[in-house]
Amino acid sequence: MSGMSPVSLHDLRRIAEALDALRGGSISGASMRSDLRLLRLEFADGTLAVVRIDADAEGRPRLEVDVVRRAATPASQLEVRFETA
């Protein structure tokens, strides 16, 4: 493992949780930046996953995973009226 920077357990858990949320989803589109530092995955349900490699403060590579879900549409709205006396 010479030359590899250690990854914190917190970072590994965060990445695993983000990727687990995508399990069973159907990918409808994918694109990668020309410098291979960012992968964008679009899912059929509107979820978007972005996997990128950034540098930390010391210049070492750091893996980042972000999952963005489409906002849920409210099923119904409740109307409340206040009457004054």
Side-chain angles (χ1 to χ4, degrees):
M1 288 182 69
S2 174
M4 293 186 77
S5 60
V7 178
S8 75
L9 185 59
H10 172 74
D11 286 342
L12 286 175
R13 283 186 179 150
R14 186 177 46 79
I15 291 167
E17 288 172 3
L19 294 176
D20 186 53
L22 304 173
R23 186 184 313 259
S26 298
I27 297 175
S28 61
S31 60
M32 182 171 280
R33 267 185 22 183
S34 61
D35 63 2
L36 306 177
R37 294 181 66 119
L38 185 134
L39 171 65
R40 177 184 164 136
L41 302 169
E42 299 171 31
F43 289 79
D45 67 356
T47 301
L48 178 67
V50 179
V51 181
R52 69 181 166 274
I53 299 174
D54 288 325
D56 67 9
E58 287 87 33
R60 295 179 303 223
R62 178 182 165 106
L63 181 65
E64 293 285 334
V65 178
D66 293 313
V67 176
V68 180
R69 290 184 179 75
R70 182 179 295 180
T73 330
S76 62
Q77 293 183 344
L78 176 64
E79 184 175 328
V80 178
R81 295 183 186 203
F82 295 98
E83 296 182 17
T84 55

